[in-house]
Amino acid sequence: MSLRCAGMVLLGLIVGAHSANASTGYLARAEVREFIETMHTEHGLDATELERILGDARHQPVVSRLIGPERPKTAPPPVRSYPKYRAKFLTQARIAAGARFWDLHEADLRRAQAEFGVSPEIILGILGVETAFGQNTGSFRVVDSLTTIAFDGPRRQDYFRDELKELLLMARDLSIDPLTIKGSYAGAMGLPQFMPSSVRKYAVDFDGDGIVDLIGSTSDAIGSIASYLKAFGWADGEAALVPVQLPPHSAADLVTGLERTHEVAALKEKGVRFSIKRLPEGACSVIELPTPGKAPKYMAGFGNFEAITRYNRSTFYATAVLDLANAIREARTHVTASN
């Protein structure tokens, strides 16, 4: 056997050994034992129960692939297209499903608006983008997803280790076996796709049955989304996004993305034109919605826009939620007027 072939065999054995260890032996790893000890001493969880749970956790290579590595700083920026992103969510089928969902759950949606100040279409926009109103809540065991990324993931291991901690605490709080919970490849759960920390902080028992259930209770999902947005400053009736016109060649200086660093008066002094006169109070961001081959659109994002980006830190995501929300409201209004 040549030296090169021997090296390849050795590499294969090393990789295979690591894969086998990750998939079947999390309890044998020092960092996992340390995690269990911390959960026991700091949070009072039973060590034997933790060994049962993490001993059953399975490494999922597909999860690491889907999370993906950090993009190299030297890599060219990807071609971004908001219309392409938007088209995934603003389909006629999804808009019609949203209008039907509104009809079926109008009482809960109205009660959520009364208690939290979040209008029905915004809640539906999030439910529609996240899971198509519960049609796709994820098929991964959340324990597997979070354990894989926490201890073998390509990035953000600290964040996902915290979410694994929150999952175990959530399971204790709700008296459920964490091995039975399924969700997305990143560990998000239920109709609204809450991470475990969000469940513990913001989820509510909106149907009053004594259990917070974002998987089986549509009422709890509706109330929890409204609770989440209110916690991040949602203000009922205020515009989230306002179209703007920027002076020529000013985008590089004015576009801030997620950061609300502009005062409206200062933008107006620089020649920025807002499409409406009555604007929300407070600072705003300026976001760009690019279309390849065409001039981009620019929008000013206010407090309500920032609240949605706390759900998902993406200007495309938040804009699509708002676009879907408006489309659902228009579709339902049209049907009501026709009748």
Side-chain angles (χ1 to χ4, degrees):
M1 180 183 295
S2 70
L3 183 61
R4 181 176 182 275
C5 289
M8 293 299 290
V9 170
L10 178 61
L11 178 61
L13 291 173
I14 292 172
V15 172
H18 174 76
S19 177
N21 183 59
S23 63
T24 61
Y26 274 116
L27 286 184
R29 296 171 60 171
E31 64 267 38
V32 177
R33 304 301 308 190
E34 182 180 348
F35 176 81
I36 290 174
E37 178 63 22
T38 299
M39 293 299 295
H40 173 64
T41 57
E42 294 186 6
H43 302 284
L45 295 185
D46 183 73
T48 301
E49 176 66 2
L50 292 171
E51 289 176 354
R52 179 188 74 84
I53 295 165
L54 294 175
D56 197 70
R58 293 293 177 263
H59 177 71
Q60 298 290 342
V62 66
V63 168
S64 291
R65 290 198 299 271
L66 289 169
I67 289 293
E70 295 283 0
R71 191 171 65 87
K73 294 181 179 180
T74 56
V79 177
R80 301 173 72 242
S81 170
Y82 177 67
K84 183 177 179 180
Y85 179 90
R86 181 183 186 272
K88 294 187 293 183
F89 306 107
L90 270 85
T91 65
Q92 290 302 313
R94 196 167 303 207
I95 293 166
R100 289 194 301 271
F101 192 97
W102 191 333
D103 288 338
L104 287 171
H105 304 286
E106 183 169 13
D108 284 328
L109 289 164
R110 291 300 180 191
R111 186 158 59 92
Q113 183 174 22
E115 293 189 21
F116 299 105
V118 181
S119 58
E121 66 267 24
I122 300 300
I123 297 171
L124 294 172
I126 288 177
L127 282 170
V129 169
E130 288 290 345
T131 62
F133 311 103
Q135 293 182 41
N136 181 21
T137 58
S139 59
F140 292 87
R141 280 202 319 178
V142 173
V143 162
D144 293 340
S145 296
L146 294 179
T147 303
T148 294
I149 309 171
F151 298 105
D152 294 302
R155 59 191 178 94
R156 303 185 71 191
Q157 286 194 1
D158 289 344
Y159 168 76
F160 284 99
R161 203 166 295 190
D162 282 343
E163 289 298 336
L164 178 60
K165 175 193 76 174
E166 294 289 341
L167 174 73
L168 296 169
L169 294 174
M170 181 198 80
R172 179 190 65 181
D173 295 344
L174 300 179
S175 299
I176 55 179
D177 185 348
L179 294 175
T180 66
I181 303 172
K182 292 188 177 181
S184 75
Y185 69 86
M189 299 169 290
L191 276 75
Q193 292 290 276
F194 273 20
M195 294 298 287
S197 60
S198 293
V199 174
R200 297 192 72 222
K201 292 177 183 176
Y202 308 113
V204 296
D205 172 22
F206 208 54
D207 59 15
D209 66 354
I211 302 171
V212 174
D213 179 9
L214 301 184
I215 298 172
S217 172
T218 303
S219 297
D220 287 0
I222 289 170
S224 296
I225 291 172
S227 168
Y228 186 100
L229 292 176
K230 181 181 179 181
F232 284 102
W234 183 272
D236 194 18
E238 288 194 355
L241 271 182
V242 176
V244 294
Q245 291 184 0
L246 305 186
H249 314 298
S250 65
D253 293 327
L254 296 181
V255 171
T256 60
L258 295 170
E259 303 303 321
R260 285 200 299 145
T261 58
H262 291 301
E263 296 297 330
V264 169
L267 286 177
K268 288 181 176 180
E269 288 179 0
K270 293 178 180 179
V272 175
R273 297 172 61 187
F274 291 80
S275 62
I276 62 175
K277 291 184 178 180
R278 186 178 178 182
L279 298 169
E281 295 183 358
C284 68
S285 60
V286 174
I287 71 166
E288 180 181 70
L289 300 176
T291 300
K294 296 183 179 180
K297 295 181 179 179
Y298 298 100
M299 313 283 280
F302 290 88
N304 282 352
F305 186 74
E306 181 178 356
I308 299 175
T309 66
R310 295 294 178 177
Y311 211 102
N312 183 318
R313 300 292 285 168
S314 162
T315 58
F316 277 17
Y317 170 88
T319 306
V321 164
L322 291 167
D323 285 351
L324 181 58
N326 291 332
I328 292 170
R329 173 172 279 282
E330 290 176 3
R332 191 168 183 272
T333 300
H334 177 73
V335 171
T336 302
S338 300
N339 295 334

